[in-house]
Amino acid sequence: MTVKKPTKPKNLSGPRRPTAPRADALPSREQLLAALAEQTDIKGKRDLAKVFGIRGDMRRPFKAMLAELEGEGVITRTRKALRRTAALPHVTVLDIPADADPEDMHAFPAQWNDEEGEKPRVTVLSGRDARVAPAPGDRILARIDAGDAEIPVYTAKAMKILDKPRRGQIGIVRMDDDGARLIPVDRKQKEMRIPLGDLLTAGDGDLVEVEVKLSGRLMIPRAKVVAVIGNPMSEGAVSLIAIHNLEIPYRFPASVIREADEASEIGLKGREDWRDVPLITIDPADAKDHDDAVYARPDTDPANKGGHIVIVAIADVAAYVRPGTALDREAYTRGNSVYFPDRVVPMLPERISNELCSLKEGVPRAALAVRMIIGADGKKRSHSFHRILMRSAAKLSYQQAQAAIDGKADEQTGPLLDPILRPLYAAYDAMAHARDHRGPLALDLPERKILLDDKGMVRDIHIPDRLEAHRLIEEMMIAANVAAAETLEQKKSALLYRVHDEPSSEKLQALRDFLGSLDIAIKKSDSVRASDFNGILAQSRKAGNVEQVSEMVLRSQAQAEYNADNYGHFGLNLDRYAHFTSPIRRYADLIVHRALIKALGLGDDGLSETELLHLPGIAQHISATERRAMRAERETADRLLAQFLATKIGARFEGRISGVTRSGLFVRLLETGADGFIPASSLGQDFYRYVEERQSMIGDRGGEKFTLGDRVTVRLLEAAPVAGALRFELLSEGERVNPSSVRRGNKRPPKSFGPKGRKKR
């Protein structure tokens, strides 16, 4: 259609006519869009037609032109008004959907007026040189480019990853005389009223998800139930609180289940046949999946006298979970499995994790194995990776394996003792010697295990025995992880490292100040090694204050993470380290498997070029999902323990001070490991001053001192199971010190002037 040159517009009443075409011509698209953008008094088609002098036979093609522009998303209709679709600002906040394809990510504006039409889709650009690498589910601050086309084609470069607010809150419904109220799970949130019409089907005691609305002139927050989760006291509901509160995906989409169900067992084609190698699995007694197997024998090579051959075989998850599939996208979104006392939220469906990729006894299974040559001194001399078909010779628990070595073999382990178990332990003895020489951080803190009854309530809490069988598997897995990182570096392949930075100078100074108050010295340099901390721990064991020192050493450590760049693993004292040994439950390991397959030419299902490009973003994402899982597991344990202790209000317990802040003391009970709080205002009649360098609260007048690691007796005053919170009353007396030395800021240990009687409670 030929557009004639517009004539000079006439003065009209109503909207100004910018450039009117001849009476027999339609305006151009550019003229239409300019009028809509520049003249705010255009309300609809009639005003727009008046601007351009549209009448008679021109009305039909004019309406068709507007419909075409609206269909393309260039203009939008709000009630009776027409307007040009709003453009995104040059810098805006975007939300990346959780199910976005990591290889072709898109996002939508976090805030959008629905009257402006549909949210524009924005392509998120990334590259090897990107300073910020976002992932699906992230909220980002981004720089926007709309392109030069008439219809904006938006692309974005991430500037910063932002905290994403929850879409709702989780809480317990409580009915009262005035209706209903919500008791939030999050201790920092306040109670809210729930209008009776906004309860859905929720009743008293139900765990619900709500959205918050502000009402009235005073903008009072009120809750509206959007989902009824269930009764928090029912079986399995305690972990659901953390799952919902932290938005952990726990239901697999139908497409993922379908792919898993359609997967078939991998055969021998393209693999080495290792079915006659007597690899065995050693796992917890209640384990449902078995993704690692081990084998060792003496090395017969005269050049390696007294040495060992050690094989670690790992389930070949990469053969079943290929890049770009629904299984892969879901595994990436989850990042890792999450373990609760009452359930597991797996990274992969059971068909994969508990069946096809579980190294079951006597069943052929696909695996990726590393064969390591270990010297008599325990150091690895060489290694090689192999894609194999294996068949596990036995499934043992840690307790079974250890009992057999300790002379208490059963019917299953008896025949395995000489050919399999003793060679494994002999190889481990050598590797353990090399480990001790290497000097990793020896911070062996006990981990409690919560056992539940049939109703999901706490039945028992105990510290499992730390057996040599545990250390054997741990040391062989570490060696395999190191071998994976070394191979990929040798092949000049990008990979995801498991890194652990050395302590920051600020944390080291805080540790020095604390150790100084205990007359324990640590070298002044900011460059420390794990062995330096081991020396400190050894001194504290002799001095009898190892609990205090262990807590502070732990606090001084950086958090381990995944990174495409390597800066070593401080805690293990290793220059290079990658997670290879558990691809069933960690996406990082799956990436490393794919990288090995590609680098060694072991198949066509290795790491894709697109994945290589996005490794920094993948590392950020799975580090975040790991932290989310740790928080969920910790919060669930707190709630279960608070629920367990709720029937023991008024009881006395022994504990240790696990944290000191200006607001009070945190105490961890010795028997259960439950954590509770003692407000500073309840410590006594004195004014207690927080002394950071000593991690202590010290009375201004009496000099009574409570320090991190002190053993104390407390009384339980309050338990809030839903929040996982406990409040204690302190019954013990503290050490008496000279308060004047504290007020002067003296960092040397204050002189004690003896105990002073405390009123018995």
Side-chain angles (χ1 to χ4, degrees):
M1 185 177 354
T2 302
V3 179
K4 307 288 180 137
K5 184 177 179 180
T7 60
K8 185 177 180 180
K10 299 177 181 179
N11 290 328
L12 302 172
S13 60
R16 179 173 53 86
R17 182 183 298 176
T19 49
R22 281 175 44 171
D24 60 345
L26 288 174
S28 69
R29 293 165 63 101
E30 291 79 7
Q31 289 171 326
L32 266 175
L33 296 175
L36 287 170
E38 296 169 6
Q39 299 192 52
T40 58
D41 50 355
I42 294 177
K43 300 301 183 185
K45 288 186 297 183
R46 185 171 298 175
D47 289 340
L48 199 56
K50 187 180 294 187
V51 167
F52 291 103
I54 301 298
R55 49 188 173 270
D57 293 340
M58 299 307 297
R59 288 195 180 103
R60 187 183 297 273
F62 181 69
K63 288 182 180 180
M65 186 179 185
L66 293 178
E68 182 182 354
L69 288 170
E70 188 176 354
E72 292 174 359
V74 180
I75 64 175
T76 187
R77 184 190 306 273
T78 58
R79 298 179 183 172
K80 294 183 178 181
L82 276 175
R83 65 180 69 180
R84 180 162 188 181
T85 301
L88 292 177
H90 294 302
V91 175
T92 192
V93 177
L94 302 175
D95 283 335
I96 303 173
D99 59 352
D101 185 349
E103 299 182 5
D104 184 21
M105 265 195 302
H106 66 280
F108 298 98
Q111 291 187 339
W112 185 256
N113 185 348
D114 291 338
E115 291 190 349
E116 304 291 353
E118 292 187 9
K119 285 185 177 183
R121 179 186 172 107
V122 184
T123 299
V124 181
L125 304 178
S126 62
R128 292 183 184 275
D129 58 346
R131 297 178 62 186
V132 178
D138 284 346
R139 169 167 285 186
I140 60 174
L141 181 67
R143 195 175 301 282
I144 305 295
D145 185 350
D148 299 326
E150 179 182 285
I151 303 174
V153 179
Y154 291 114
T155 57
K157 289 186 178 180
M159 301 165 61
K160 184 179 181 181
I161 297 176
L162 306 174
D163 290 334
K164 189 174 181 180
R166 275 190 44 80
R167 54 186 167 82
Q169 293 183 12
I170 304 294
I172 303 295
V173 174
R174 286 298 178 210
M175 306 301 294
D176 55 30
D177 294 340
D178 297 323
R181 58 193 170 99
L182 181 83
I183 301 175
V185 167
D186 191 333
R187 310 170 203 178
K188 297 178 182 178
Q189 295 171 351
K190 296 181 179 180
E191 290 187 14
M192 290 176 284
R193 301 303 305 181
I194 309 175
L196 293 178
D198 289 336
L199 277 170
L200 291 183
T201 60
D204 187 62
D206 277 347
L207 178 67
V208 297
E209 181 177 349
V210 303
E211 63 180 24
V212 181
K213 294 185 175 182
L214 302 176
S215 64
R217 293 172 58 190
L218 299 178
M219 303 294 282
I220 298 172
R222 297 194 181 275
K224 178 182 179 180
V225 176
V226 295
V228 180
I229 300 170
N231 190 319
M233 298 299 109
S234 64
E235 182 178 351
V238 175
S239 58
L240 276 174
I241 297 175
I243 289 170
H244 280 265
N245 205 32
L246 297 175
E247 296 183 340
I248 295 173
Y250 72 107
R251 292 191 181 101
F252 286 106
S255 59
V256 174
I257 297 296
R258 184 168 56 253
E259 279 190 5
D261 290 343
E262 291 173 353
S264 56
E265 294 186 10
I266 300 294
L268 186 57
K269 184 179 179 181
R271 297 176 179 274
E272 299 176 43
D273 190 350
W274 286 25
R275 284 176 289 183
D276 291 335
V277 178
L279 289 146
I280 65 170
T281 61
I282 304 177
D283 291 295
D286 57 354
K288 293 182 180 179
D289 56 62
H290 311 275
D291 61 349
D292 58 81
V294 292
Y295 169 72
R297 65 172 175 81
D299 190 358
T300 57
D301 186 349
N304 188 28
K305 187 176 180 180
H308 309 267
I309 307 291
V310 173
I311 295 173
V312 174
I314 307 297
D316 194 351
V317 178
Y320 295 97
V321 183
R322 296 192 170 220
T325 60
L327 273 168
D328 181 52
R329 286 194 295 271
E330 184 68 15
Y332 171 81
T333 298
R334 296 181 177 222
N336 44 257
S337 298
V338 189
Y339 294 85
F340 299 103
D342 62 330
R343 75 177 70 214
V344 176
V345 179
M347 186 179 80
L348 296 167
E350 286 190 11
R351 167 70 175 159
I352 302 295
S353 59
N354 291 8
E355 293 294 332
L356 297 176
C357 290
S358 184
L359 307 180
K360 296 186 174 185
E361 182 177 344
V363 180
R365 285 287 183 255
L368 191 58
V370 57
R371 183 179 186 270
M372 296 175 283
I373 309 298
I374 306 296
D377 59 358
K379 295 181 180 179
K380 180 171 64 65
R381 295 190 168 193
S382 64
H383 68 269
S384 58
F385 281 90
H386 307 261
R387 214 166 188 188
I388 67 171
L389 190 69
M390 60 160 284
R391 181 167 45 214
S392 172
K395 180 189 77 170
L396 302 182
S397 69
Y398 289 113
Q399 291 74 18
Q400 273 184 294
Q402 191 62 50
I405 288 295
D406 292 342
K408 299 176 183 178
D410 57 25
E411 291 183 1
Q412 184 184 16
T413 55
L416 304 175
L417 191 55
D418 288 331
I420 297 177
L421 290 175
R422 285 200 172 110
L424 268 173
Y425 273 79
Y428 163 66
D429 285 343
M431 296 171 76
H433 177 76
R435 175 201 63 206
D436 294 341
H437 185 264
R438 187 179 81 240
L441 183 60
L443 197 60
D444 198 4
L445 299 174
E447 292 188 13
R448 289 172 174 80
K449 186 171 183 179
I450 299 174
L451 302 178
L452 305 182
D453 59 23
D454 294 340
K455 296 181 179 179
M457 302 295 107
V458 178
R459 172 172 57 85
D460 189 22
I461 301 157
H462 76 287
I463 301 174
D465 293 332
R466 178 79 166 150
L467 306 174
E468 283 299 293
H470 291 100
R471 295 186 174 92
L472 180 153
I473 295 298
E474 183 178 275
E475 199 58 38
M476 291 185 177
M477 297 303 117
I478 289 173
N481 289 337
V482 171
E486 289 177 347
T487 292
L488 290 171
E489 281 193 356
Q490 290 164 5
K491 293 294 181 179
K492 301 189 184 307
S493 169
L495 72 145
L496 286 184
Y497 292 93
R498 179 65 169 179
V499 291
H500 179 217
D501 207 356
E502 61 184 33
S504 66
S505 57
E506 293 81 6
K507 288 185 175 182
L508 273 178
Q509 187 57 50
L511 179 62
R512 285 193 191 94
D513 291 341
F514 176 74
L515 293 175
S517 71
L518 300 176
D519 274 338
I520 298 176
I522 181 174
K523 67 181 185 180
K524 297 290 185 182
S525 171
D526 282 347
S527 179
V528 294
R529 299 176 64 87
S531 55
D532 296 322
F533 289 106
N534 292 340
I536 293 167
L537 293 168
Q539 290 183 60
S540 67
R541 288 187 188 96
K542 291 180 181 178
N545 50 17
V546 67
E547 290 85 3
Q548 292 170 292
V549 175
S550 295
E551 190 72 37
M552 278 301 291
V553 168
L554 179 63
R555 290 177 180 215
S556 72
Q557 301 304 304
Q559 187 169 28
E561 63 176 2
Y562 297 104
N563 204 306
D565 296 322
N566 182 32
Y567 51 84
H569 198 294
F570 177 83
L572 293 175
N573 198 15
L574 292 169
D575 292 331
R576 57 194 56 82
Y577 191 64
H579 272 167
F580 160 77
T581 53
S582 198
I584 280 179
R585 64 184 180 90
R586 294 187 304 228
Y587 196 79
D589 303 55
L590 179 56
I591 290 291
V592 170
H593 275 232
R594 288 174 179 166
L596 287 166
I597 291 166
K598 179 180 175 63
L600 299 173
L602 297 177
D604 61 359
D605 47 357
L607 203 62
S608 68
E609 291 299 322
T610 308
E611 284 178 303
L612 284 169
L613 190 67
H614 288 86
L615 279 182
I618 293 172
Q620 285 185 358
H621 171 71
I622 60 180
S623 294
T625 60
E626 179 187 47
R627 291 191 293 271
R628 179 180 67 183
M630 292 170 63
R631 180 180 170 188
E633 292 164 3
R634 183 176 63 249
E635 287 183 1
T636 298
D638 287 345
R639 291 185 180 103
L640 284 168
L641 291 172
Q643 192 179 86
F644 177 64
L645 294 171
T647 59
K648 306 180 187 297
I649 302 298
R652 298 162 66 107
F653 298 94
E654 296 299 309
R656 286 193 184 277
I657 296 175
S658 59
V660 184
T661 69
R662 296 183 187 279
S663 56
L665 306 175
F666 291 92
V667 173
R668 181 169 299 141
L669 302 186
L670 299 181
E671 184 179 357
T672 63
D675 288 298
F677 186 63
I678 303 172
S681 59
S682 69
L683 289 178
Q685 298 300 314
D686 208 340
F687 174 79
Y688 286 83
R689 187 183 301 275
Y690 171 56
V691 184
E692 183 178 6
E693 63 269 19
R694 301 181 188 182
Q695 286 296 297
S696 300
M697 293 285 278
I698 302 177
D700 252 11
R701 296 188 301 275
E704 187 176 31
K705 177 170 74 79
F706 298 101
T707 301
L708 182 76
D710 283 355
R711 184 159 177 160
V712 293
T713 302
V714 297
R715 177 182 289 122
L716 179 61
L717 296 182
E718 183 182 357
V722 173
L726 301 171
R727 186 164 65 87
F728 297 133
E729 176 189 16
L730 184 63
L731 302 181
S732 299
E733 295 181 6
E735 179 189 0
R736 297 284 170 169
V737 299
N738 184 350
S740 62
S741 65
V742 177
R743 287 195 292 271
R744 288 195 304 269
N746 181 9
K747 294 185 179 181
R748 299 300 301 162
K751 180 179 178 181
S752 171
F753 48 78
K756 182 179 178 181
R758 188 187 192 93
K759 183 179 179 181
K760 299 297 181 182
R761 303 179 185 178

